[in-house]
């Protein structure tokens, strides 16, 4: 309780003058408006920080909206890619069916052509065999006739066979 000590209020006491100087300093500071200045600067700094926080919140909201839009576009792109893949697979199946039908048609045409060629070859071979048989029969008939003319003999069986050769060859 130094405050109640009478020696404290002696004008030669240095502690008294320090206390008076300190009180005068605080009065001058208050009268000069330093607390308002400090409070104004603190308020300005708080407002600046608040505006930076608001800007950060706005940027975050924009980023979240952009992220949502990108995710939606990604989902749409994936869906579009899946649809394109399905369409490509369907086109491939159609092309495969068309190719298979064309291949079967080509094979059938080639088979028909081969069968026609075989039939023509058979007809030609039959004609060649008939011609060879007719030629052989004509030579045999010529030899028989030559032998008959040489011997002037008539053989009724031979005459019937020669008569039948002409009808059998046709």
């Amino acid at each position: 309780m130094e405050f109640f000590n009478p020696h404290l209020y002696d004008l030669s006491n240095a502690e008294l003058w320090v206390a008076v100087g300190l009180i005068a300093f605080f009065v001058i500071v208050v009268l000069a408006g330093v607390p308002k200045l400090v409070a104004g600067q603190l308020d300005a700094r708080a407002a600046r920080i608040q505006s930076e926080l608001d800007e950060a919140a706005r940027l975050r909201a924009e980023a979240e909206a952009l992220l949502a839009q990108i995710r939606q576009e990604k989902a749409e792109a994936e869906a579009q890619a899946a649809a394109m893949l399905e369409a490509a697979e369907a086109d491939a199946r159609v092309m495969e069916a068309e190719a298979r039908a064309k291949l079967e048609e080509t094979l059938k045409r080639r088979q028909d052509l081969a069968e026609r060629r075989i039939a023509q070859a058979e007809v030609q071979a039959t004609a060649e065999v008939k011609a060879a048989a007719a030629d052989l029969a004509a030579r045999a008939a010529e030899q028989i006739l030559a032998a008959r003319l040489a011997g002037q003999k008539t053989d009724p069986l031979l005459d019937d066979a020669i008569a039948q050769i002409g009808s059998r060859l046709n």
Side-chain angles (χ1 to χ4, degrees):
M1 306 260 182
E2 191 67 30
F3 188 69
F4 294 113
N5 187 355
H7 175 63
L8 178 66
Y9 298 107
D10 185 15
L11 291 179
S12 63
N13 186 359
E15 292 175 354
L16 173 70
W17 291 111
V18 169
V20 169
L22 185 62
I23 290 172
F25 174 74
F26 283 131
V27 168
I28 291 171
V29 166
V30 169
L31 289 176
V34 171
K36 288 183 181 180
L37 258 170
V38 170
Q41 287 181 355
L42 288 176
D43 287 343
R45 186 169 181 191
R48 189 178 71 237
I49 290 172
Q50 184 62 43
S51 70
E52 288 176 3
L53 287 175
D54 292 343
E55 178 69 16
R58 185 185 63 77
L59 290 175
R60 180 177 179 174
E62 286 179 9
E64 287 175 352
L66 185 60
L67 179 63
Q69 180 183 358
I70 289 172
R71 285 182 179 160
Q72 180 183 3
E73 289 174 359
K74 179 185 173 195
E76 290 173 358
E78 287 175 351
Q80 186 178 16
M84 290 173 68
L85 181 62
E86 288 177 12
E89 288 175 351
D91 288 346
R93 284 191 293 272
V94 168
M95 288 176 154
E96 179 185 9
E98 289 175 357
R100 188 180 316 270
K102 286 181 182 178
L103 178 64
E104 289 175 2
E105 180 182 328
T106 302
L107 289 176
K108 179 158 180 28
R109 275 193 313 230
R110 287 185 181 174
Q111 183 179 1
D112 292 344
L113 180 63
E115 288 174 356
R116 281 194 306 260
R117 286 184 181 170
I118 289 170
Q120 287 174 353
E122 287 176 353
V123 168
Q124 185 178 358
T126 303
E128 288 176 2
V129 168
K130 283 183 179 180
D135 188 37
L136 185 61
R139 276 192 244 142
E142 185 179 321
Q143 288 174 355
I144 292 172
L145 285 176
R148 185 185 286 173
L149 285 177
Q152 285 295 326
K153 295 181 186 175
T154 58
D155 185 7
L157 290 176
L158 190 59
D159 291 338
D160 288 340
I162 291 172
Q164 288 178 358
I165 285 177
S167 65
R168 285 188 182 177
L169 291 179
N170 294 330

